Amino acid sequence: VTNKDNESRPAVATSLQTSRRDGDVVVVEFTAGHRHNPFSMGRMAELTELLKQLDAEPDIGCIVLYGGLGRSFAAGGDLSEPSTFTGGSEIDGWIDKITDLYVAVAGIECPVVAAIDGYAIGLGLQVALCCDYRVGSTRAKLVMPEFRLGIACNFGAFLLERVVGRAVMQAMLFTCEDWSSDRAFKDGLLHRVAPTDDLLDEAVGDARRISSYTRAAVRGTRPRMNKPLIKGLEEVRRQGKVSHRRAFAAGEAQVRMRRILASDKAGN
Amino acid sequence: VTNKDNESRPAVATSLQTSRRDGDVVVVEFTAGHRHNPFSMGRMAELTELLKQLDAEPDIGCIVLYGGLGRSFAAGGDLSEPSTFTGGSEIDGWIDKITDLYVAVAGIECPVVAAIDGYAIGLGLQVALCCDYRVGSTRAKLVMPEFRLGIACNFGAFLLERVVGRAVMQAMLFTCEDWSSDRAFKDGLLHRVAPTDDLLDEAVGDARRISSYTRAAVRGTRPRMNKPLIKGLEEVRRQGKVSHRRAFAAGEAQVRMRRILASDKAGN
Amino acid sequence: VTNKDNESRPAVATSLQTSRRDGDVVVVEFTAGHRHNPFSMGRMAELTELLKQLDAEPDIGCIVLYGGLGRSFAAGGDLSEPSTFTGGSEIDGWIDKITDLYVAVAGIECPVVAAIDGYAIGLGLQVALCCDYRVGSTRAKLVMPEFRLGIACNFGAFLLERVVGRAVMQAMLFTCEDWSSDRAFKDGLLHRVAPTDDLLDEAVGDARRISSYTRAAVRGTRPRMNKPLIKGLEEVRRQGKVSHRRAFAAGEAQVRMRRILASDKAGN
């Protein structure tokens, strides 16, 4: 993973780029690699570290997560990693990287806005669900396809139930359908839908508004507001290791993942 | 309660019938008795036992609960039983039967779809709320009338708040109104509305899709997804015994129930 | 605060008036003072005490909270009090008064209906969220503006997430926008919208229906239905003291509050 485009902006990590907007707003862009932005364990660790660094900077009032122009927000985990898993201890490291990322998004004091174009799938949707405010473009598609992929979906079940309620959680998990931006807005998955061309500007506008509130008020509230969410994520961390070991030991998940990867390479 | 119709299908219990559809889907039909399918304690115990048996069968991927052609899903508990209660220990046995049934629906590993025609009232609606996916016909009516009947509604309050949120729970409990299929869909009580003639086929279609997911993924997720629900149901089991003893000791509940039973016999 | 209007009705407290409607319904009207009904600590304590008294009366079946004809339901706390806070122990007394009020609304056995005309802001909206049923007039405006005012919003975050879900909570807190009656109805903040002229009559009608249910059923359910809410409020009481001390010690909150108060005096 290298830093291919937009070299003029300061890069803090190989697969992420940050840029300042309007003083106290920072856009973190998921750059490099496939345009659907699968999240490798390396990228998860980088983003976790970056969020903690940005949170410690005294003049940043809001962070915007963005998949980049013409790119998906994040199309799940990088399947090439779990497709080789055998159901052993490598599962634990993977679950830890995932949980650490979610806990960082929800656990820092600085508010986080998600700007979602294209797909937000599985892990990508879960990152967005840990954010405070979710803006989607008209062509955004939100999907929780774990069951279809043959993977346990404990993080998805927990986060969806917590953020948009049990009924929507059940619908997403048990149908594995794509949620259009309209449906996602109706169901509370998106707070707002913006024209595709305006997505980043509008998300930055929302971030500027959030950044205009006093630091003491926002930072005195966010950790307590998110405490039950983080407590739940830590429970899923423990449970998820058990669930995923079972699913991967069964072997079906990897077969389905490799089939999807092969289909992607064939030009899908 | 005897097994009157459809003798060609294998009956596993006197008031329930099971039939296989498309290999790994099983339809459990509430047969016999009144067409609104009141749930006697006997039927509750039978369904609880049947669900556990079906869950243990290695080739069943999804269960559909169905009230039968031209019949209601389930119009609450059989009021002829509690109408004779006096507020003593008989309450505990009744609450245990009810709780055991809800815990079985939510607690087995196998997913459960509810196919709702006609009424889903009180206990009937609560069974549906323990399911993973709820399909209603256009003429479905969902009601939580406990307060109007003079009964405490701790199970209804808990399950509605958990599944569709506190605002909808408050509306159903404090108005006791009928929820039409449209309103039920809008409020998340139903995941989908189907034409009356297609209800069972569409619910079986949804069950087939669920059954197509890997067993390891679904069964590695469902118990954890439902753990907080079951924990809450067990709390209500304890509390419900106290609440219902109080309500039945007051005597008003039985008077209202007997009035409803008399009105039913008069041809209502 | 004196009792200026409607002297013919029995006044039980200086800033509150009660009146019987249709036998077993009591309307508690927030009278006297500014027409937007800011809640001073004195009024909070009076309402807390009054609710407990009414709950103990054997012939009251439902309470309606109402801001009065042509007046707001309640436009938040009286900013002239916290605007002088310095971040010390005076914060604790203020938080206790607020928490005691919320716990009284949710904790008594008697159901409570909110009849909302004009604004329900901050504390006012939080009082409404503790009620069982919320009726708004077409010109009702619901707002959670704490972040814009520079105040931590732990009560608002908790109550909104609990009552209408996390997505709506995030939208209200991070935008600080006004919710119109239509939007509030769609999002579950209001159970029903009534024409402005009919607001009180319709809310009293809903209260009469609630009052028609058996006392044993309703009072055997409400305390258990609200137990988790009250447990959460008690946690926020503890946390809120810390959060608010931090926000007020930073000093920005008071500056913003005094600016708003000055703008109000200038005729806003």
Side-chain angles (χ1 to χ4, degrees):
Chain A
V1 181
T2 54
N3 209 343
K4 284 181 200 150
D5 57 345
N6 216 333
E7 293 288 346
S8 62
R9 281 185 276 157
V12 302
T14 54
S15 71
L16 304 168
Q17 286 188 326
T18 60
S19 56
R20 285 291 181 115
R21 303 289 171 112
D22 305 301
D24 45 10
V25 168
V26 167
V27 175
V28 175
E29 193 173 320
F30 311 149
T31 56
H34 192 287
R35 73 183 179 86
H36 285 315
N37 268 327
F39 264 57
S40 65
M41 287 190 277
R43 174 175 270 178
M44 293 179 211
E46 281 170 17
L47 182 53
T48 299
E49 190 53 37
L50 175 60
L51 288 167
K52 289 177 184 174
Q53 284 173 23
L54 295 174
D55 191 40
E57 292 190 26
D59 61 339
I60 294 179
C62 193
I63 296 165
V64 177
L65 300 183
Y66 177 53
L69 192 68
R71 298 165 61 93
S72 282
F73 181 72
D78 180 346
L79 296 185
S80 68
E81 291 171 344
S83 69
T84 65
F85 287 177
T86 55
S89 64
E90 78 284 359
I91 305 271
D92 292 2
W94 187 54
I95 298 285
D96 280 332
K97 285 275 189 306
I98 292 171
T99 317
D100 289 347
L101 173 55
Y102 299 164
V103 168
V105 175
I108 58 175
E109 292 197 339
C110 184
V112 185
V113 170
I116 303 173
D117 194 12
Y119 285 101
I121 304 182
L123 179 144
L125 176 52
Q126 290 162 27
V127 166
L129 291 170
C130 293
C131 293
D132 302 284
Y133 204 74
R134 291 171 294 283
V135 188
S137 80
T138 48
R139 69 181 176 199
K141 294 240 181 291
L142 284 63
V143 204
M144 200 66 86
E146 270 76 350
F147 284 172
R148 202 180 58 214
L149 298 176
I151 324 179
C153 190
N154 290 296
F155 281 113
F158 169 73
L159 284 168
L160 283 171
E161 180 162 0
R162 188 86 208 181
V163 179
V164 291
R166 191 168 175 88
V168 174
M169 177 275 280
Q170 295 175 317
M172 292 198 88
L173 261 71
F174 286 103
T175 70
C176 298
E177 284 173 0
D178 290 5
W179 254 242
S180 68
S181 56
D182 281 351
R183 192 176 182 188
F185 174 71
K186 189 184 69 61
D187 283 342
L189 293 157
L190 294 177
H191 288 102
R192 208 151 70 72
V193 178
T196 301
D197 289 345
D198 304 338
L199 172 65
L200 184 58
D201 283 348
E202 297 214 6
V204 168
D206 292 324
R208 286 182 64 186
R209 175 159 58 179
I210 292 170
S211 194
S212 74
Y213 307 141
T214 64
R215 196 171 170 91
V218 172
R219 295 191 168 220
T221 303
R222 195 178 194 261
R224 287 164 192 84
M225 177 196 289
N226 287 351
K227 201 177 162 187
L229 195 83
I230 289 167
K231 191 182 164 205
L233 287 169
E234 292 295 351
E235 282 173 26
V236 181
R237 183 202 297 263
R238 286 191 301 277
Q239 298 172 352
K241 289 175 182 174
V242 179
S243 298
H244 278 80
R245 277 185 186 232
R246 179 173 167 178
F248 280 97
E252 287 181 271
Q254 298 92 316
V255 171
R256 292 193 179 208
M257 285 177 180
R258 282 193 288 264
R259 201 180 302 147
I260 290 161
L261 288 167
S263 151
D264 280 355
K265 279 194 186 153
N268 212 350
Chain B
V1 182
T2 54
N3 208 341
K4 285 181 199 149
D5 56 347
N6 215 335
E7 292 288 346
S8 63
R9 281 185 276 157
V12 301
T14 54
S15 72
L16 304 168
Q17 285 188 325
T18 60
S19 57
R20 284 292 182 115
R21 303 288 172 110
D22 307 300
D24 45 11
V25 169
V26 168
V27 176
V28 175
E29 193 172 320
F30 313 149
T31 57
H34 193 288
R35 74 182 178 86
H36 285 315
N37 268 326
F39 263 59
S40 65
M41 287 190 277
R43 175 174 270 179
M44 293 179 212
E46 282 171 15
L47 182 52
T48 300
E49 189 52 39
L50 174 60
L51 288 168
K52 289 176 183 173
Q53 285 173 23
L54 295 174
D55 190 40
E57 290 189 28
D59 61 340
I60 294 179
C62 192
I63 296 165
V64 178
L65 300 183
Y66 177 53
L69 193 66
R71 298 166 61 92
S72 282
F73 181 73
D78 181 346
L79 295 185
S80 68
E81 291 171 345
S83 69
T84 67
F85 287 177
T86 55
S89 64
E90 76 285 359
I91 305 270
D92 293 2
W94 187 54
I95 298 285
D96 280 332
K97 285 276 188 304
I98 292 171
T99 317
D100 289 347
L101 173 56
Y102 299 164
V103 168
V105 176
I108 59 175
E109 292 197 339
C110 184
V112 185
V113 171
I116 303 173
D117 195 11
Y119 285 100
I121 303 182
L123 179 143
L125 176 51
Q126 290 162 28
V127 166
L129 291 170
C130 293
C131 294
D132 302 283
Y133 204 74
R134 292 172 293 283
V135 189
S137 81
T138 49
R139 67 181 177 199
K141 292 239 181 292
L142 284 62
V143 205
M144 200 65 87
E146 270 76 350
F147 284 172
R148 203 180 58 217
L149 299 176
I151 324 178
C153 190
N154 289 296
F155 281 113
F158 169 73
L159 283 168
L160 283 172
E161 180 162 359
R162 188 86 206 179
V163 179
V164 291
R166 190 169 175 87
V168 174
M169 177 274 278
Q170 295 175 316
M172 293 198 88
L173 260 72
F174 287 102
T175 70
C176 299
E177 285 174 0
D178 290 5
W179 254 241
S180 68
S181 56
D182 281 351
R183 192 176 181 187
F185 174 71
K186 187 183 71 61
D187 283 341
L189 293 157
L190 295 177
H191 288 102
R192 207 150 70 74
V193 178
T196 301
D197 289 345
D198 304 337
L199 172 65
L200 185 58
D201 282 349
E202 296 215 4
V204 168
D206 292 325
R208 287 183 63 189
R209 174 159 57 178
I210 291 171
S211 195
S212 74
Y213 307 141
T214 63
R215 197 173 171 88
V218 173
R219 294 190 169 222
T221 302
R222 196 179 193 261
R224 287 165 191 85
M225 178 197 292
N226 287 352
K227 200 176 164 189
L229 195 83
I230 288 167
K231 192 182 165 207
L233 287 169
E234 292 295 352
E235 281 173 26
V236 181
R237 183 201 297 262
R238 287 191 300 278
Q239 298 171 351
K241 290 174 183 175
V242 178
S243 298
H244 278 81
R245 277 183 185 233
R246 179 174 166 178
F248 280 96
E252 286 181 273
Q254 298 92 316
V255 172
R256 293 193 178 208
M257 285 176 179
R258 283 192 289 262
R259 201 179 303 148
I260 291 161
L261 289 166
S263 151
D264 280 355
K265 279 191 185 156
N268 211 351
Chain C
V1 182
T2 55
N3 209 341
K4 285 181 200 148
D5 57 347
N6 216 334
E7 293 288 347
S8 62
R9 281 184 277 157
V12 302
T14 53
S15 71
L16 304 168
Q17 287 188 324
T18 61
S19 56
R20 284 291 181 118
R21 304 288 173 109
D22 307 300
D24 45 10
V25 168
V26 168
V27 175
V28 175
E29 193 172 318
F30 312 148
T31 57
H34 192 286
R35 74 181 179 85
H36 284 315
N37 268 326
F39 264 58
S40 66
M41 286 191 278
R43 174 174 269 178
M44 293 179 210
E46 281 170 15
L47 182 52
T48 300
E49 190 52 38
L50 175 60
L51 288 168
K52 289 176 183 174
Q53 285 173 24
L54 295 174
D55 191 40
E57 291 189 28
D59 61 340
I60 294 179
C62 192
I63 296 165
V64 177
L65 300 183
Y66 177 52
L69 193 66
R71 298 166 60 92
S72 281
F73 181 73
D78 180 345
L79 296 185
S80 67
E81 291 170 345
S83 70
T84 66
F85 287 177
T86 55
S89 63
E90 77 284 359
I91 305 270
D92 293 3
W94 186 54
I95 299 284
D96 280 332
K97 285 277 189 305
I98 293 170
T99 318
D100 289 347
L101 174 56
Y102 299 163
V103 168
V105 176
I108 59 175
E109 291 197 340
C110 184
V112 185
V113 170
I116 303 173
D117 194 12
Y119 284 100
I121 304 183
L123 179 144
L125 176 51
Q126 290 162 28
V127 166
L129 291 170
C130 294
C131 293
D132 302 284
Y133 204 73
R134 292 171 293 283
V135 189
S137 81
T138 49
R139 68 181 175 199
K141 294 240 180 291
L142 284 62
V143 204
M144 201 64 88
E146 271 76 349
F147 283 172
R148 203 180 57 216
L149 298 176
I151 324 178
C153 190
N154 290 295
F155 281 113
F158 169 72
L159 283 168
L160 283 171
E161 179 161 0
R162 189 86 206 178
V163 179
V164 291
R166 189 169 176 86
V168 174
M169 177 274 279
Q170 294 175 317
M172 292 197 88
L173 261 71
F174 286 102
T175 71
C176 298
E177 285 173 0
D178 290 6
W179 255 242
S180 68
S181 57
D182 281 352
R183 192 176 180 188
F185 174 71
K186 188 182 69 63
D187 283 342
L189 293 157
L190 294 176
H191 289 102
R192 207 151 70 73
V193 178
T196 300
D197 289 345
D198 304 338
L199 172 66
L200 184 58
D201 283 349
E202 297 215 4
V204 168
D206 291 325
R208 288 182 63 188
R209 175 160 58 178
I210 291 171
S211 196
S212 74
Y213 306 141
T214 64
R215 196 171 172 88
V218 173
R219 294 190 170 222
T221 303
R222 195 179 194 261
R224 287 163 192 85
M225 178 196 290
N226 287 351
K227 202 177 163 188
L229 195 82
I230 288 167
K231 192 182 164 207
L233 286 170
E234 292 295 353
E235 281 173 26
V236 181
R237 183 201 297 263
R238 286 192 301 277
Q239 297 171 353
K241 289 175 183 175
V242 178
S243 299
H244 278 80
R245 276 183 186 233
R246 177 173 167 179
F248 280 96
E252 287 180 89
Q254 299 92 316
V255 171
R256 292 193 179 209
M257 285 175 179
R258 283 194 288 264
R259 201 180 302 149
I260 291 160
L261 288 167
S263 150
D264 280 355
K265 280 193 185 156
N268 210 350

